[in-house]
Amino acid sequence: LYSIHFATDFFAKATRRERRSNFELISKLLPRTAILLAFALSYALTNVARVRIYEEGIVSGKNVVVVCIYHIGVGVLCLVLCSVSIFMLDREVKDSLVSAAKRKQE
């Protein structure tokens, strides 16, 4: 936040029309709301999985390997869902990945 404040003050010589508020600058740095929601949902799901699958599974005496595999499966599922949501919703990421894939084929 300080760097944004410093940059705003440093470029204060710009006309008022060209200046942006700190909120506008920060909002442009953050990903889209849907992507932030996907991250939040992923965080919630992995925490629920940690408590419900991992910790309760170990306390109840289930096979530790199986419990760990289930918990890792939830993490991989969350990773896939977040990756798909970023790829589908963030045009810049999608364009750069497609461009990199095309360059690799050449």
Side-chain angles (χ1 to χ4, degrees), residues 4-5 7-8 20-30:
I4 293 172
H5 175 71
T8 303
R20 291 191 165 91
S21 70
N22 287 342
F23 178 75
E24 286 177 307
L25 292 172
I26 292 171
S27 67
K28 291 195 179 279
L29 293 174
L30 294 174

Side-chain angles (χ1 to χ4, degrees), residues 81-94:
L81 291 176
C82 283
S83 300
V84 168
S85 67
I86 290 170
F87 184 76
M88 298 297 286
L89 298 173
D90 197 335
R91 180 178 219 84
E92 290 178 11
V93 171
K94 185 177 182 178

Side-chain angles (χ1 to χ4, degrees), residues 7-74:
T8 303
D9 286 344
F10 183 78
F11 293 108
K13 297 174 187 171
T15 63
R16 182 69 187 145
R17 215 177 67 223
E18 294 173 353
R19 284 190 227 152
R20 291 191 165 91
S21 70
N22 287 342
F23 178 75
E24 286 177 307
L25 292 172
I26 292 171
S27 67
K28 291 195 179 279
L29 293 174
L30 294 174
R32 294 175 151 221
T33 307
I35 294 172
L36 289 175
L37 288 174
F39 285 143
L41 180 64
S42 176
Y43 175 77
L45 284 174
T46 53
N47 273 332
V48 167
R50 180 182 51 83
V51 171
R52 303 283 292 187
I53 296 173
Y54 185 72
E55 291 176 1
E56 289 180 9
I58 290 177
V59 168
S60 67
K62 292 182 180 175
N63 188 347
V64 175
V65 174
V66 173
V67 171
C68 288
I69 289 172
Y70 286 153
H71 182 61
I72 291 170
V74 170

